[in-house]
Amino acid sequence: MKPVMIVQFSASEGPGHLGDYLVNEHIPFQVLRIDRGEALPADIHAYSGLAMMGGPMSVNDDLPWIPPLLALIREAVARRIPVIGHCLGGQMLAKAMGGEVTDSRFTEIGWVRAWPEAVPQAAEWLGGHAALDLFQWHYQTFSIPPGAVRILRSEHCANQAYVLDDLHIGFQCHIEMKAEMVREWCGISPEELKGGSDADPAQPMIQSAAEIMHDLDARIATLNQWAGHVYARWAKSLFNPQGMT
């Protein structure tokens, strides 16, 4: 089968558990490193799916690779090639499909409880959980693009995930996390954590490193388990493309 293209925007924000899932399921993939200046393909024809990871930049930044990536996303959606976005990737998908990305009233950094919406897509894609603990690191938020359905919300950031055309899914959170990634991020940006020099003490959803690390392995194991369900649901369409031309 054709490989999945994984777009990586930052050295520290790689495929994580998504990569593990694809390896375990013998699904080929290629990682395209935007952070290393690698060029996007002219079209999506050579790929069975498009996955996008997180990154420190904004979808609204004036960066030369953003317009062609948005065009590539729109082509994938038009050709019914499955797209999945994590944090920045979820914002990219939302903007490409007519949504807006704006500064969030509340910054979320650390573990955040979220609840699936009472819609069939939430049970289908998220596995019927009553609540989920998400790993977050974001300052902006997306609106739900036209035609998509919100499936997940948190108290301080309503739009946590959405599904489009029952093929594509965008997350505000990071479902791809592994324990070593969490530790690395906290080490790279301690100033953003609670008590750090850049942290706003008025923001209730910014955690300290100690809070983030508490019971980390168990939290990651739970996150990986339900992320695996999401990835399996998304990957179904890699094998059964619908309406491709």
Side-chain angles (χ1 to χ4, degrees):
M1 68 179 292
K2 296 177 180 179
V4 172
M5 179 170 68
I6 300 179
V7 182
Q8 181 173 340
F9 303 100
S10 169
S12 63
E13 302 194 41
H17 189 61
L18 172 62
D20 292 346
Y21 172 83
L22 296 175
V23 168
N24 291 337
E25 296 299 318
H26 307 288
I27 299 172
F29 65 93
Q30 297 173 1
V31 180
L32 189 147
R33 297 290 300 268
I34 291 288
D35 60 307
R36 294 179 178 174
E38 295 179 0
L40 291 161
D43 57 58
I44 200 69
H45 290 73
Y47 300 94
S48 63
L50 172 60
M52 295 171 289
M53 309 317 297
M57 63 286 294
S58 169
V59 178
N60 301 317
D61 288 345
D62 184 18
L63 296 170
W65 51 265
I66 290 181
L69 178 56
L70 297 177
L72 202 68
I73 295 167
R74 287 189 285 267
E75 182 195 357
V77 171
R79 290 176 53 80
R80 299 185 65 78
I81 294 174
V83 180
I84 185 169
H86 306 74
C87 199
L88 176 64
Q91 295 174 354
M92 288 281 181
L93 175 59
K95 182 161 185 177
M97 301 313 299
E100 294 184 338
V101 176
T102 57
D103 290 342
S104 179
R105 180 182 175 189
F106 293 101
T107 297
E108 291 181 318
I109 299 178
W111 295 97
V112 174
R113 178 60 57 95
W115 298 272
E117 297 286 8
V119 294
Q121 294 91 336
E124 172 75 12
W125 283 81
L126 303 177
H129 295 274
L132 295 164
D133 288 328
L134 311 176
F135 189 78
Q136 306 273 8
W137 203 303
H138 70 96
Y139 295 87
Q140 293 192 310
T141 185
F142 50 68
S143 66
I144 304 301
V149 177
R150 184 173 70 189
I151 63 169
L152 191 62
R153 60 182 169 81
S154 69
E155 179 181 0
H156 292 90
C157 184
N159 296 333
Q160 288 291 344
Y162 59 92
V163 169
L164 178 66
D165 293 342
D166 204 37
L167 286 174
H168 320 291
I169 187 165
F171 286 94
Q172 183 55 75
C173 55
H174 289 274
I175 72 168
E176 79 282 12
M177 298 306 292
K178 300 169 71 171
E180 58 265 33
M181 294 171 67
V182 175
R183 296 186 184 101
E184 181 181 12
W185 291 13
C186 289
I188 290 173
S189 302
E191 72 282 356
E192 298 181 51
L193 303 178
K194 185 165 72 176
S197 58
D198 292 346
D200 183 350
Q203 289 283 354
M205 301 310 295
I206 299 178
Q207 294 180 344
S208 66
E211 289 170 314
I212 291 172
M213 297 297 178
H214 177 70
D215 210 14
L216 180 61
D217 289 339
R219 283 171 151 173
I220 288 293
T222 300
L223 179 65
N224 290 168
Q225 183 178 31
W226 76 262
H229 177 91
V230 172
Y231 293 147
R233 177 60 181 81
W234 178 75
K236 285 172 59 177
S237 297
L238 301 175
F239 299 99
N240 299 294
Q242 304 175 49
M244 289 179 60
T245 58

